[in-house]
Amino acid sequence: MKRFRASMRIRQRPAMSSSLVIASAFPHHARNKNDIRILHSGISNTEAGGVVAESENIVAETAECIFADLADAQTINRDKSNHWKTPLWSALDDAGLPLSWVPEACGGAGVSLAEGFSVVQSAGKFAVAVPLVETMLAGWLLSQAEIPSPSGKMTVAPVRPQDRISIDANKTLTGRVRGVSYGADAEHIAVVAVSTNGSVIALVDASACHIDAGENLGHDASNSVTFNNVKPLTIKPAPSGFTPRSLMLMGATLRSLQIAGALEALLDISVRYSNERVAFEKKISKFQAVQHNLAKLAGEVAAAVTAAGSAADTIANSSSFDDAVFFEAASAKIRCAEAAEKGTAIAHQVHGAIGFSMEHILHRYTLRALAWRDDFGHESYWATELGRFVAARGADELWPLVASR
Amino acid sequence: MTAALRFDQIRLPPECEALRHEVREFLREEIAAGTFDPDEPQREDSDIPEFSRRVGERGWIGMTWPKRYGGHERTFLERYVVTEEMRVANAPTRRFFVADRQSGPVLLKYANERIKMDILPRICRGEVCFAIGMSEPNSGSDLFAAKTKATKTDGGWLINGTKVWTTSAHIADYMLGIFRTSPPTADNRRHGLTQFLVDMKTPGIKVNPIAQISGLKEFNEVVFEDAFVPDDHALGEIDGAWKQATSELAYERSGPERFLETYYVLTELVRALGNNPDTRGAEGIGRLVAQLHTMRRMSVSVAGMLQAGKEPVVEASIVKDIGTIWEQQLPHRVRDLAAFVDSDTANHHTLEEQLAFATKIAPKLTIQGGTTEVLRGIIARGLGLR
């Protein structure tokens, strides 16, 4: 298999030495042994053996190396032309990362959920602004119904729990959905639609839809997409129990991981800056008020990484989108959104006025972390859902519920 | 500059679930027998020696310690589950909890064999209560400033001075205290402190209760006047207690007791809002539950790292910082969310009473066991800022 091989070369270069090691450490048992075979087929035994010995998660490492090489925030920030997007996407595509979760038989890399989750967190850490996570999610969604993934950029719909796409008897899709990430960049859209007979999963040619211009807080494309009797390229029934809510839970978990990743980067950048910036004749890191703010930021990072990692770990070890997944994914989205709010404020505070300038890279992380709160369910939405779930079970069941996780 | 924070994804193993059910069953029986009332966290007489002994009989004190000292060689994660269930039920654990969490492990590490064989089995049986003597008047969190002296004499040491804010000293059999044995040196403020095991029945020790704003009297002032402590009661290195005291704190700072002290008001809120709350109530509950779940996952992670023999001092400080602020804010959030609850609701009285008590104890939660400011200093050091 050629994929991931191209990136072996890239990973020989020194990886970005992020000084921060908040390990999300997805458990090893979650990894499918077959993944190793898939990843290493085509590589000599010695080489593969060496790789296994030095890395617990070669997929995430491959992704990090590409991000470090081709998505350097400083370079991107100076390049106002978006030319950087082409080589970045090509490298990701060559490495097979956009179709991480698509089985090999359907043209993907077939890596485990756990390994893919690490890629997503890493994408957050680098504030990656191409539709990698969206394409991964679309490929995953299509594979739920065994629909082969096309190559190229994809996104998913709906993205908001309130939005709905219906499918009628003629097998055409109708509905208007908002906030579709990279809707304007995607060649295909993977859709969960509802009919009177349950949910279907469909692959749609994006050019068959009406797409309004728009962007999110982080200046990434975020579009309203109108399906006006659109005929999908492929439609299959969703597996039993799979509904639009399942997509929301998976999407909420991915956004939580991205927020956690962005916060890891924010702590790293803020700590480094505080050790460089001198004010009142000393490094600002020596001021107790600054130290305490950074300690609070570390706490928010730790909470976000833990909450998002816990949800991802739960999905990776579950066979369906059951109550446990709901509890974990909802909690992760709520807590990570709170962490984004508190954490980005502290990062900006530490950076002072310079961090508020477009010249500085800080906004690339802070604004995306804030923007990701809105996708796949606002935290207030999930809090209300979670609160109703808890209340319906009753006060005496609350502790057993929390303690069971 | 390396900020190596680790929060491994750790789940409690299946044997913990079985244990959890045993503990719940035990607590149900104790409640049914009238030993304690789970709806009354404010009970002043929450020191119930018979309860401690029954917990000891079950093997739930000194769970992780070696069997030869009366321990049970179980895991930190199993101990974690017992602590959680006791805390959530408002069980009267005052008599044994400090010894179980802190003092026992210190003795295991630093005491001589004779002392270990004498005291540890009694702790495990729930018969011994410990107090921790760290704070002093005018020192508080600033341990370096401790002045209470241990002066060398024939066969031992004479202690003179005053400890303060000493929880449970009035019922304690022993104190583990930090006393000054030499002055600090110019280049090491940490030098000169030694840890001692003090029998509270020793002549020359006087315990004066301090009334708190919560109405309880669990804190004390402890005055030493030529109190004699034998040589073998000095624990670890003479003049080198600083490191011993700080490693002890990792156990003290990350456990479930650090975010569950006001938990009962959340349960009562859910009860008061009923099965079908309005949007405001539902959202409020949802946020609090998500925060609780996240902290617990962090706390379990630290417990797992302790089990693996690591010393997650910074991570433990983060859990305590976030945890204590959460449990401190909880009564205020619950008050907000319960504002529209009809006062005729069946449990309204309980909610009001518990809320009043939780609100009164809230200010101490971010002070006991290391203030927020001290914790943030430790975290900042871990980030490479100091």
Side-chain angles (χ1 to χ4, degrees):
Chain A
M1 199 207 67
K2 66 180 191 313
R3 288 160 190 252
F4 283 103
R5 217 171 150 199
S7 57
M8 299 317 273
R9 235 181 322 106
I10 295 172
R11 64 178 300 283
Q12 300 305 323
R13 302 182 206 169
M16 173 190 160
S17 59
S18 168
S19 57
L20 196 72
V21 201
I22 295 190
S24 53
F26 296 105
H28 306 171
H29 66 261
R31 183 196 295 185
N32 183 341
K33 280 195 180 107
N34 291 335
D35 301 337
I36 307 292
R37 183 180 51 72
I38 293 164
L39 289 174
H40 295 148
S41 55
I43 304 170
S44 78
N45 284 341
T46 343
E47 194 182 345
V51 167
V52 170
E54 84 187 57
S55 167
E56 286 190 0
N57 188 340
I58 189 190
V59 189
E61 222 175 276
T62 301
E64 283 226 355
C65 290
I66 295 174
F67 299 150
D69 277 355
L70 298 167
D72 169 59
Q74 196 65 264
T75 314
I76 289 172
N77 211 37
R78 290 187 183 130
D79 176 1
K80 306 297 177 205
S81 65
N82 280 343
H83 287 332
W84 57 271
K85 288 195 176 184
T86 310
L88 173 60
W89 182 263
S90 301
L92 293 170
D93 203 27
D94 282 349
L97 287 163
L99 300 185
S100 287
W101 283 323
V102 174
E104 211 181 359
C106 293
V111 311
S112 69
L113 280 170
E115 283 170 307
F117 286 138
S118 302
V119 171
V120 172
Q121 187 166 335
S122 177
K125 195 149 104 186
F126 286 84
V128 167
V130 294
L132 171 64
V133 173
E134 288 71 15
T135 306
M136 285 173 71
L137 179 58
W140 171 83
L141 176 59
L142 294 171
S143 71
Q144 299 303 304
E146 294 174 357
I147 300 173
S149 282
S151 61
K153 293 168 186 157
M154 292 195 279
T155 190
V156 298
V159 182
R160 295 186 184 175
Q162 300 82 356
D163 288 351
R164 180 187 167 96
I165 302 167
S166 334
I167 182 155
D168 62 19
N170 301 324
K171 304 210 163 177
T172 62
L173 302 172
T174 307
R176 181 162 187 273
V177 294
R178 298 153 298 168
V180 176
S181 298
Y182 297 102
D185 297 344
E187 294 153 58
H188 294 94
I189 306 175
V191 167
V192 190
V194 287
S195 73
T196 45
N197 299 324
S199 301
V200 301
I201 293 172
L203 174 66
V204 176
D205 185 337
S207 64
C209 309
H210 177 79
I211 296 176
D212 291 317
E215 59 180 36
N216 68 11
L217 273 178
H219 305 295
D220 297 325
S222 173
N223 309 94
S224 290
V225 177
T226 308
F227 296 82
N228 192 3
N229 289 318
V230 169
K231 196 139 192 89
L233 299 172
T234 318
I235 308 177
K236 293 258 180 83
S240 156
F242 194 99
T243 64
R245 188 183 176 84
S246 313
L247 174 63
M248 289 306 135
L249 292 171
M250 183 69 168
T253 300
L254 299 188
R255 287 298 190 248
S256 300
L257 287 166
Q258 286 173 280
I259 290 172
L263 286 169
E264 286 182 288
L266 284 179
L267 178 59
D268 199 12
I269 295 167
S270 302
V271 165
R272 207 182 315 139
Y273 180 76
S274 75
N275 276 323
E276 286 164 2
R277 167 73 177 160
V278 172
F280 308 102
E281 296 170 349
K282 54 181 179 178
K283 290 179 186 172
I284 62 167
S285 64
K286 300 299 164 204
F287 290 96
Q288 205 170 47
V290 174
Q291 291 177 355
H292 286 198
N293 255 346
L294 288 169
K296 278 162 75 180
L297 175 56
E300 293 304 308
V301 176
V305 169
T306 304
S310 188
D313 171 62
T314 301
I315 292 176
N317 290 291
S318 299
S319 51
S320 67
F321 283 78
D322 55 11
D323 284 350
V325 170
F326 159 71
F327 182 85
E328 292 261 4
S331 295
K333 192 74 195 307
I334 296 163
R335 190 61 185 88
C336 288
E338 289 176 355
E341 180 186 322
K342 292 182 187 165
T344 58
I346 293 171
H348 276 289
Q349 188 70 25
V350 169
H351 279 80
I354 189 69
F356 194 66
S357 72
M358 284 301 282
E359 293 302 307
H360 200 279
I361 60 170
L362 191 60
H363 66 91
R364 296 197 62 81
Y365 304 88
T366 54
L367 294 180
R368 282 195 178 85
L370 294 173
W372 289 329
R373 295 176 303 168
D374 294 339
D375 303 338
F376 304 102
H378 187 292
E379 64 270 26
S380 295
Y381 166 80
W382 285 119
T384 307
E385 292 287 297
L386 183 58
R388 288 199 176 117
F389 175 81
V390 165
R393 294 168 67 116
D396 294 330
E397 285 306 305
L398 172 56
W399 175 251
L401 178 69
V402 172
S404 70
R405 300 305 316 152
Chain B
M1 192 272 298
T2 303
L5 300 182
R6 270 201 88 86
F7 283 90
D8 297 346
Q9 282 295 338
I10 289 162
R11 303 274 172 192
L12 296 174
E15 63 266 25
C16 286
E17 267 327 281
L19 175 60
R20 189 186 295 286
H21 288 291
E22 274 177 55
V23 179
R24 281 184 191 160
E25 190 50 44
F26 167 80
L27 291 170
R28 258 195 296 274
E29 285 165 15
E30 291 290 325
I31 292 163
T35 311
F36 68 99
D37 181 346
D39 294 331
E40 282 192 48
Q42 64 271 42
R43 266 175 70 154
E44 175 108 44
D45 55 350
S46 69
D47 167 43
I48 302 171
E50 310 82 63
F51 177 80
S52 302
R53 272 194 287 275
R54 284 195 291 272
V55 174
E57 276 167 24
R58 292 294 182 119
W60 295 333
I61 306 175
M63 287 179 76
T64 62
W65 308 349
K67 286 188 174 154
R68 60 183 307 237
Y69 302 123
H72 303 277
E73 299 183 7
R74 300 183 79 161
T75 65
F76 277 105
L77 297 175
E78 289 173 296
R79 183 185 170 277
Y80 188 93
V81 164
V82 175
T83 308
E84 279 190 328
E85 294 299 324
M86 294 275 175
R87 183 67 264 166
V88 165
N90 291 318
T93 59
R94 178 181 296 174
R95 175 160 286 267
F96 64 82
F97 191 65
V98 166
D100 180 59
R101 178 175 69 183
Q102 285 164 269
S103 315
V106 170
L107 293 179
L108 264 176
K109 208 164 174 185
Y110 300 108
N112 70 26
E113 194 59 22
R114 194 188 58 75
I115 292 175
K116 284 199 268 198
M117 290 304 286
D118 171 29
I119 298 181
L120 294 173
R122 290 194 280 131
I123 294 179
C124 294
R125 291 199 298 269
E127 296 169 1
V128 183
C129 178
F130 266 78
I132 303 284
M134 292 217 190
S135 292
E136 293 183 12
N138 306 315
S139 79
S141 285
D142 181 9
L143 266 192
F144 301 146
K147 285 197 182 76
T148 298
K149 259 190 197 166
T151 314
K152 192 72 192 83
T153 183
D154 271 356
W157 302 75
L158 287 177
I159 300 180
N160 280 287
T162 305
K163 291 286 175 187
V164 77
W165 316 127
T166 316
T167 305
S168 300
H170 59 301
I171 56 166
D173 301 285
Y174 297 97
M175 170 190 282
L176 274 190
I178 302 268
F179 301 102
R180 185 152 294 287
T181 39
S182 316
T185 57
D187 56 344
N188 187 7
R189 284 188 71 208
R190 303 168 181 195
H191 177 81
L193 297 168
T194 305
Q195 193 164 26
F196 287 90
L197 169 68
V198 182
D199 187 330
M200 291 296 280
K201 288 187 292 292
T202 307
I205 299 179
K206 199 175 166 210
V207 176
N208 304 314
I210 301 171
Q212 298 165 221
I213 65 169
S214 61
L216 300 189
K217 287 177 189 155
E218 54 192 348
F219 290 173
N220 300 275
E221 176 191 65
V222 184
V223 182
F224 298 87
E225 280 178 15
D226 282 338
F228 177 79
V229 177
D231 272 329
D232 67 352
H233 282 45
L235 302 175
E237 198 186 326
I238 301 295
D239 291 338
W242 174 251
K243 203 175 175 306
Q244 289 164 223
T246 49
S247 67
E248 187 184 333
L249 294 174
Y251 295 96
E252 188 187 340
R253 284 183 174 157
S254 59
E257 70 274 17
R258 290 306 184 192
F259 51 87
L260 292 176
E261 194 154 342
T262 57
Y263 170 78
Y264 45 84
V265 295
L266 179 55
T267 316
E268 290 313 312
L269 173 73
V270 174
R271 209 184 306 285
L273 291 179
N275 288 350
N276 190 21
D278 63 10
T279 306
R280 174 179 173 276
E283 194 209 336
I285 292 170
R287 281 186 189 262
L288 292 169
V289 170
Q291 291 159 356
L292 171 63
H293 162 70
T294 302
M295 273 177 319
R296 184 175 172 279
R297 298 287 299 124
M298 294 165 78
S299 173
V300 168
S301 175
V302 172
M305 292 190 282
L306 288 172
Q307 174 63 30
K310 299 173 189 167
E311 281 190 23
V313 174
V314 177
E315 291 81 355
S317 298
I318 287 178
V319 174
K320 182 179 185 269
D321 183 22
I322 291 187
T324 54
I325 285 176
W326 186 81
E327 62 182 6
Q328 182 171 73
Q329 288 173 344
L330 185 59
H332 302 290
R333 288 293 300 127
V334 166
R335 176 180 168 274
D336 280 346
L337 293 165
F340 299 122
V341 171
D342 185 339
S343 59
D344 288 337
T345 318
N347 75 322
H348 185 75
H349 186 62
T350 315
L351 177 62
E352 265 190 358
E353 272 188 356
Q354 296 197 351
L355 205 46
F357 182 68
T359 304
K360 282 187 217 164
I361 66 162
K364 75 163 183 163
L365 300 174
T366 50
I367 300 167
Q368 60 191 11
T371 64
T372 303
E373 291 74 13
V374 166
L375 294 172
R376 289 189 181 158
I378 293 169
I379 300 164
R381 194 181 302 281
L383 293 173
L385 303 173
R386 303 174 64 193

